Each structure stands twice: as structure tokens, then as C-alpha cells.
Amino acid sequence: NAGVIQTPRHKVTGKGQEATLWCEPISGHSAVFWYRQTIVQGLEFLTYFRNQAPIDDSGMPKERFSAQMPNQSHSTLKIQSTQPQDSAVYLCASSWTTNTEVFFGKGTRLTVV
Amino acid sequence: GDSVTQTEGQVALSEEDFLTIHCNYSASGYPALFWYVQYPGEGPQFLFRASRDKEKGSSRGFEATYDKGTTSFHLRKASVQESDSAVYYCALGDNAGAKLTFGGGTRLTVRP
């Protein structure tokens, strides 16, 4: 079990460019989550899927951010027109279902220059 | 909305010292409470959880007791080791048992 896999581990984008972050959840897990971690805001929930369906995106910025889960083996977080304030570590996590232990990936560090 | 407050931003101890990290929460209903630990370059790792008043969660020598009366879930360990150096996060789960709300984290440094 390789755990939750996130690629790339580091990404540098220019201001205004698009960034796509990838996540492969643990096989068999039905719940997939995205969080963002910054020094100032700490760990913030963004969105989650259950059985590939979007359930709660209450933490997603309404503009420029979108997440998808086209199949049970991967999810993507896309940020359009990246801004310096989007710089953060983006963490993907999965669990067997809700109310069970959540396993986090190592994260993707996004730097917008 | 739900919130979690960790009093200590940083804690520095020597090996074999007693550890307490204070966690207080604000939420409606009866949230599940969690402790996570994060090492450099890694995502947070689940330590343990508790779901009802007076329930004690524990793992790796760490423990915390759910106290609904004081809305607290303080982390304790009787004798810390250098390998315990990490950032510790208290969190609460929403009513659906999905979304986690994290506290600000406490950086623990243990001197040999």
C-alpha cells in the first residue's frame, strides 16, 4: 500500500497560468478530500467526494478553483489564472468512508511567482 | 461555525518530560474529536479519535479525553522522546463525519 499519491510534489507556475494537481487515493477508499495548508491560514478544508460524486465544496474559492474525480483512482484540483496568494501546500486525503481514519498524501507545494 | 483552538503554538521539552497540549473546540452537536501529527515533508497522520463525552483516545503513549463540559480534548504524554518532535493538530469532524476543522497546530521540540 503506497498510501495516497500526489503529483507533482513541487510545482512552480507564473502568475496567471493554470495549475493542475493530481491525486491517487488509496485503492478501495470511497471518500477523497482536498485540503490547503499555509503558514497563515493553517490547514483548510477545500472539498470532498464520495464514490466520485462531489459532496461538499464549501471550502473552495468560488472563482478559479475546481476539483474533479473522473474515476475512482484519481482526482484533480485545477487552479486557473494562479495568483501569488494561491501559493500553498495542497493535500489530498482519502478514507474508506466518512467517519473513518483519513489518510493524507505528502502534498503538492505550489509556488506562484 | 466550528472552530478549534490550540493554546500553545510551540512547546519545547527535554526527553522524559511530561507533555500537555491544550485543545478547546466550539461546535454545535456532538462532533468527533481527533489528534493528528505531522512530520516535515509529510501530510498529517491520524493519531486517534474520540466520539463521545468522557471517551479516551490513545496511541503511541499519547492520550486525550473528550470533555464536553469544558469543550476540551487536551493531548498528554507522560514521557516524551526526541522522536516525538513534530507538529500536532487537534481537529473536529462535522456531523457527516467527513470535513475536518483543524486547530492552528503546536510545534513540539524535544531536546535529547
Side-chain angles (χ1 to χ4, degrees), chain B residues 2-76:
Chain B
D2 297 348
S3 66
V4 178
T5 302
Q6 292 178 234
T7 309
E8 299 88 357
Q10 298 189 68
V11 173
L13 297 172
S14 298
E15 280 195 327
E16 300 184 11
D17 281 352
F18 189 92
L19 168 70
T20 300
I21 298 176
H22 295 93
C23 171
N24 289 89
Y25 70 91
S26 174
S28 58
Y30 227 122
L33 300 175
F34 302 81
W35 277 100
Y36 280 79
V37 58
Q38 187 173 27
Y39 300 98
E42 305 281 331
Q45 296 176 16
F46 173 83
L47 259 183
F48 56 82
R49 65 177 281 171
S51 302
R52 57 186 182 276
D53 193 23
K54 302 298 185 276
E55 180 182 358
K56 184 167 79 174
S58 64
S59 175
R60 309 185 210 173
F62 294 90
E63 63 179 40
T65 300
Y66 194 133
D67 190 330
K68 187 167 174 60
T70 59
T71 61
S72 66
F73 193 54
H74 305 318
L75 181 69
R76 294 185 168 90

Side-chain angles (χ1 to χ4, degrees), chain A residues 35 37 48 99 101 104-106, chain B residues 38 42-43 49 89 97 100:
Chain A
Y35 286 81
Q37 185 171 30
Y48 99 93
N99 254 325
E101 180 179 345
F104 283 82
K106 295 179 186 294
Chain B
Q38 187 173 27
E42 305 281 331
R49 65 177 281 171
Y89 291 95
L100 292 170

Side-chain angles (χ1 to χ4, degrees), chain A residues 4 6 23-24 32-35 90-94 103-105 107:
Chain A
V4 176
Q6 293 189 247
C23 170
E24 180 180 333
V32 175
F33 308 84
W34 286 95
Y35 286 81
Y90 290 84
L91 293 158
C92 179
S94 70
F103 295 83
F104 283 82

Side-chain angles (χ1 to χ4, degrees), chain A residues 18-94:
Chain A
E18 182 177 285
T20 299
L21 313 181
W22 296 76
C23 170
E24 180 180 333
I26 294 172
S27 178
H29 281 191
S30 67
V32 175
F33 308 84
W34 286 95
Y35 286 81
R36 178 169 63 181
Q37 185 171 30
T38 61
I39 298 294
V40 174
Q41 298 295 330
L43 280 158
E44 301 175 285
F45 169 82
L46 293 176
T47 186
Y48 99 93
F49 299 83
R50 188 170 62 233
N51 295 321
Q52 300 172 232
I55 302 298
D56 182 350
D57 67 352
S58 59
M60 291 277 274
K62 295 309 175 191
E63 298 179 357
R64 302 187 295 106
F65 282 65
S66 63
Q68 295 183 334
M69 192 161 184
N71 57 60
Q72 64 184 8
S73 63
H74 89 272
S75 176
T76 58
L77 180 67
K78 184 178 294 186
I79 309 171
Q80 295 178 311
S81 185
T82 53
Q83 303 298 309
Q85 61 264 31
D86 299 331
S87 297
V89 176
Y90 290 84
L91 293 158
C92 179
S94 70

